[in-house]
Amino acid sequence: MAISREEIFAAADALVAAGERPTLEGIRKKTGGSYTTISPILNEWKARQAVQGAPVREPIPQVVQDKLREVGGEIWRVASDLANTRLAAEREALEKVREEIEAERTEAVELADRLNGELEGLKAQVATLEASEAAAKDEADCLRGELSQVREEAAGLRGKLEASQEQIAVLLAKLTPTSEEPVHETKEKPARTKK
């Protein structure tokens, strides 16, 4: 869900009204959104606050201009030029510092967003691993059940085998001639020879 400039401005105003300093994290807690979205709008809000709080420079009063028209006007021009020169130099230095800070802030915001994304990816991996573990446990339980069934079937087959062996022994005993029974001699036929 995208947040609007007005929501970010309102959140910053609310933090100031509560006696807190408006920060990226403070705004994010109130509005949601990413640091990348909030950062430039918060900078705009801060710039507006700085402009509103800047003192207003009044022009030279008419009375002073009348009395010091020649000298005062020249002094005022020189002083204004000097102040503007200093102001321009200070603005240039401040702009460089602001650009450096903005670059660092942008880098920090991008890093925070990237780490946030990595954290979400790791959470998804953990969830996948947990699901895989649960599936493996279920499969192991199923295999244990099957192994138990196979053991039961093997025990049953052993019992049947033993019973079959006993039946075979009984049958063999019946087929084996005892000493009381006469032994019949069988005449062997002479083997035919091939010509």
Side-chain angles (χ1 to χ4, degrees), residues 2 13-14 48 58 65 83-84 112 120 174 187 194-195:
D13 291 336
R48 286 186 179 187
E58 293 183 6
Q65 284 184 5
N84 286 333
E120 293 302 320
K174 287 180 180 178
K187 291 183 181 179
K194 291 183 181 179
K195 293 181 183 179

Side-chain angles (χ1 to χ4, degrees), residues 149-163:
Q149 270 184 331
V150 167
R151 284 181 178 161
E152 288 175 12
E153 288 176 12
L157 290 174
R158 270 192 221 107
K160 287 180 181 179
L161 178 62
E162 288 171 3

Side-chain angles (χ1 to χ4, degrees), residues 70-121:
E70 291 178 25
V71 177
E74 185 60 28
I75 291 172
W76 185 254
R77 187 187 60 74
V78 170
S80 292
D81 288 347
L82 182 59
N84 286 333
T85 302
R86 283 187 186 166
L87 183 62
E90 288 176 6
R91 278 184 182 160
E92 187 176 317
L94 285 174
E95 182 61 23
K96 285 182 183 177
V97 170
R98 187 196 67 74
E99 287 172 359
E100 289 172 4
I101 290 172
E102 187 60 34
E104 290 173 3
R105 179 179 289 147
T106 300
E107 186 178 331
V109 166
E110 289 171 355
L111 175 62
D113 284 344
R114 187 171 69 243
L115 290 175
N116 233 359
E118 288 174 7
L119 176 62
E120 293 302 320

Side-chain angles (χ1 to χ4, degrees), residues 6 16 39 44 60 75-76 78 89 103 110 114 122 135 142 150 158 165 189-190:
E6 290 73 24
V16 170
S39 182
E44 181 182 340
I60 300 172
I75 291 172
W76 185 254
V78 170
E110 289 171 355
R114 187 171 69 243
L122 290 173
C142 183
V150 167
R158 270 192 221 107
Q165 286 173 340
K189 293 183 180 178

Side-chain angles (χ1 to χ4, degrees), residues 13 33 49 54 60 68-69 117 126 133-134 157 168 170 175 195:
D13 291 336
Q49 297 301 310
I60 300 172
L68 301 171
R69 183 170 297 234
V126 167
E133 180 186 12
L157 290 174
I168 290 171
V170 168
L175 291 176
K195 293 181 183 179

Side-chain angles (χ1 to χ4, degrees), residues 121-137:
L122 290 173
K123 284 181 181 177
Q125 286 179 356
V126 167
T128 301
L129 289 174
E130 287 174 348
S132 295
E133 180 186 12
K137 283 181 181 178

